Amino acid sequence: MKFDKHGILEMTKVNYDPIRPKAANPIKIQDVSLRDGHQSLFATRGRTEDMIPIAKLLDDIGFYSLEVWGGATFDVMHRYLNEDPWERIKTLKNYITKTPLSMLLRGQNVVGYRNYADDVVEAFVQRASDNGIDIFRVFDALNDFRNFQTVIKMIKKNNKHFQGTICYSLTEPRMGGKTYNLDYYLEKAKQLEELGADTICIKDMAGLIAPYDAYNLVKALKEQTDIPIHLHTHFTSGMADLTLLKAIEAGVDIIDTCMAPYAYRTSHPAVEPLVISFLGTNRDSGLDIKKLAEIDKEMEKTIPKYKHFLDDTKNAIIDTNVILHQTPGGMLSNLVNQLRQMDALDKLDEVFETLPKVRKQLGQVPLVTPTSQIVGIQTVNNVLFDKDGEEYTNITEQVKDLCFGLYGKTTLPIDKEVQKKALKGYPRGETPITKRPGDLLKPELPNIKKEFKGLAKNIDDEILCALYPVTGRRFLNWKYGHEDIPEDVKSKTLDDVKNEQELVRKALSGELTTKKNKPDNARAFDVYVDGEYFNVEVADPNARQTGFSFKKKEEISVENETGNLIAPIPGMIIEFKKKIGNEVKAGDTVLVLEAMKMFNNLGAPCDGVIKNIIRKAGDSVAKGDVICQIEPKE
Ligand code: CO
């Protein structure tokens, strides 16, 4: 059998033996279950303890590499899981001794959401190398490769693998048009070759790349360069398996897949069907399907801990709209979660309608972390807060930074009026820069060392604090026993999960006694059931009677007295700009609130004096929470 239309796939010999003759040009496969897989499906909540049982099994498969770190893992681990991100690499390295470990690095953004100074970037890459990362997949959200400069220097110094990455982006349903066309990608690949890339990755974070576009792009890249080409695509729109098939026919060298339990939806194609699809051809991966099935079985065991993170509002596991609004999976789940918490899920369609306009105004940037969050949250702000025809009434600090050039060069110029409005009173100056952002940033580590003296015990702690000062400090306080570890960041056993589900089931089916009179010792808990929010009041477990009352969120009213500064969106307080006793004018920034990783300045609701500060920096607040009170001026 020969598919000579493309001259690629030849059946060598039908052989179903797990140990079969080596294919002439086997497709190399990177498994990304332990990074992008759970990041895409389970909000990055995968815990190291659940990775350990499969780590050695994965190592025995013969994958090209295993992507296990970087991206959102660093943030989520110390913020929500009470886990030291550095420990994960070291632990996995103990079990994975044969297969190279790979990480996703956001260039000068490292694993954060802004550009950091060169000293932070250098220290991070050095420690990631020391701790066990072999392959660095480096990308920049703007495809501005000046942001790779420092990272490349350090990767090469450590003799590690530099994978230069091009973020795949579109402005229309297929590759082409004025901006993101074949020439754009070929030119970017040429730049990466000049920078000394060991491999080149096309990173299609939103699952936008159509099968024939992948074919043409890979074919053109293979003709232009001898550097191996690696394709990373998500299943989100439903095209990914077809896309990988065509990319393999075009000669792509390496692909990314997940183990079946972590595959599909906004994640990646599963490896198992691909192994069979290419069995006996000259691109046969050579992987053992029986061994893969054993890993699947092992992974399914811990799925009950994570399943509730799946967006189950629809039956379809694909999202056709992705092709229309070009939103990566991670951004999609962020937007849905954020709007849900703000009781504004009905605004989702409006957000998607507004998004292309905001994106164009902000320089038609690719949508990938952090630009996806920057464009996403600004769109949410515009939809929720703009009125009377005035645009950009609430501009996030990150949009201001983008307008200043602090992220690098945008694909197209930023809308002049938006830029002017964003930079009005901007502390670094009102004229945007054109040089490499890193050149502007002064070393950050000396200050961090001073600020976290006594708390941070080593360079890894210090880097954590440099990247995440607020949540990093909170984590180190947990780590070194200075503060009690909150229940919601502790790990749960499968039994805990079973008991919770049983309780929820009983509550929903009315099997629990509902009492009209609330017991005195009732305590309130927030519970999400099937995407719906309930405020559950549970009596003290030692009490003889147990009462449950369900109250839908809409019924919970917020008392809004004049002078109360209320959180307009859920988030975490980063810092207060004012103290008790300070005089403020209406609109003066009182505090900075982080929502969806973006900073929002919250202004005073009226003229007056700060009377009372109720919540402190580091606190998480819900929409409607009173943060501080201002004595209004008569
Ligand atoms: Co991805």
Side-chain angles (χ1 to χ4, degrees), residues 35-36 203 205 232 234 268:
R35 205 285 298 176
D36 212 345
K203 178 178 156 70
M205 49 280 165
H232 173 87
H234 284 252
H268 305 263

Side-chain angles (χ1 to χ4, degrees), residues 108 115-119 146-147 149-150 405-406 428 433-443:
Q108 199 82 12
N115 274 330
Y116 294 91
D118 286 337
D119 65 335
R146 295 175 305 170
N147 290 328
Q149 214 171 285
T150 305
L406 218 49
R428 286 188 173 88
I433 56 159
T434 52
K435 58 182 168 186
R436 183 185 80 103
D439 289 335
L440 200 81
L441 303 167
K442 291 194 185 72

Side-chain angles (χ1 to χ4, degrees), residues 176-402:
K178 278 188 213 146
T179 315
Y180 297 108
N181 47 37
L182 185 61
D183 289 342
Y184 173 89
Y185 296 109
L186 291 179
E187 171 56 31
K188 290 290 170 189
K190 210 173 281 169
Q191 291 174 15
L192 289 176
E193 188 162 5
E194 282 159 17
L195 290 169
D198 297 303
T199 48
I200 291 174
C201 175
I202 299 292
K203 178 178 156 70
D204 173 29
M205 49 280 165
L208 299 174
I209 191 164
Y212 288 107
D213 290 335
Y215 184 88
N216 291 336
L217 178 55
V218 169
K219 198 103 188 142
L221 285 168
K222 291 300 289 179
E223 275 160 24
Q224 177 178 287
T225 176
D226 292 333
I227 299 174
I229 305 296
H230 191 149
L231 180 63
H232 173 87
T233 184
H234 284 252
F235 186 73
T236 322
S237 69
M239 296 188 288
D241 291 276
L242 301 171
T243 296
L244 289 185
L245 182 88
K246 293 308 292 180
I248 292 169
E249 286 183 2
V252 78
D253 298 275
I254 318 156
I255 55 167
D256 279 353
T257 61
C258 277
M259 298 302 301
Y262 282 30
Y264 297 112
R265 298 175 187 265
T266 54
S267 182
H268 305 263
V271 65
E272 300 84 350
L274 285 164
V275 169
I276 300 299
S277 301
F278 294 98
L279 191 76
T281 69
N282 64 338
R283 302 300 319 264
D284 188 340
S285 65
L287 303 190
D288 182 342
I289 190 76
K290 286 191 191 123
K291 278 190 182 172
L292 291 170
E294 279 166 33
I295 301 177
D296 290 341
K297 209 168 132 192
E298 197 58 40
M299 285 174 98
E300 286 290 354
K301 288 182 189 165
T302 54
I303 287 290
K305 293 189 189 180
Y306 304 110
K307 212 175 172 177
H308 62 287
F309 286 108
L310 291 178
D311 176 19
D312 54 3
T313 49
K314 281 183 300 181
N315 196 42
I317 63 160
I318 66 161
D319 184 358
T320 314
N321 281 324
V322 158
I323 295 166
L324 300 174
H325 53 64
Q326 284 116 30
T327 313
M331 178 185 182
L332 198 69
S333 56
N334 267 347
L335 283 177
V336 169
N337 276 336
Q338 195 69 11
L339 287 169
R340 182 184 286 158
Q341 285 176 44
M342 290 158 80
D343 283 337
L345 205 49
D346 57 316
K347 292 279 203 301
L348 188 63
D349 286 343
E350 205 183 323
V351 166
F352 284 140
E353 271 164 39
T354 317
L355 206 129
K357 184 183 169 192
V358 174
R359 181 187 179 199
K360 184 143 195 240
Q361 287 169 322
L362 296 178
Q364 202 69 282
V365 293
L367 295 178
V368 58
T369 304
T371 47
S372 52
Q373 274 90 342
I374 294 173
V375 175
I377 189 80
Q378 189 58 52
T379 306
V380 170
N381 280 1
N382 287 7
V383 166
L384 294 183
F385 304 120
D386 285 359
K387 46 179 180 248
D388 307 327
E390 204 202 330
E391 283 192 317
Y392 290 84
T393 46
N394 193 348
I395 302 180
T396 67
E397 296 309 293
Q398 279 78 0
V399 165
K400 294 175 190 174
D401 293 343
L402 179 75

Side-chain angles (χ1 to χ4, degrees), residues 112 408 481 585:
K585 286 235 174 330

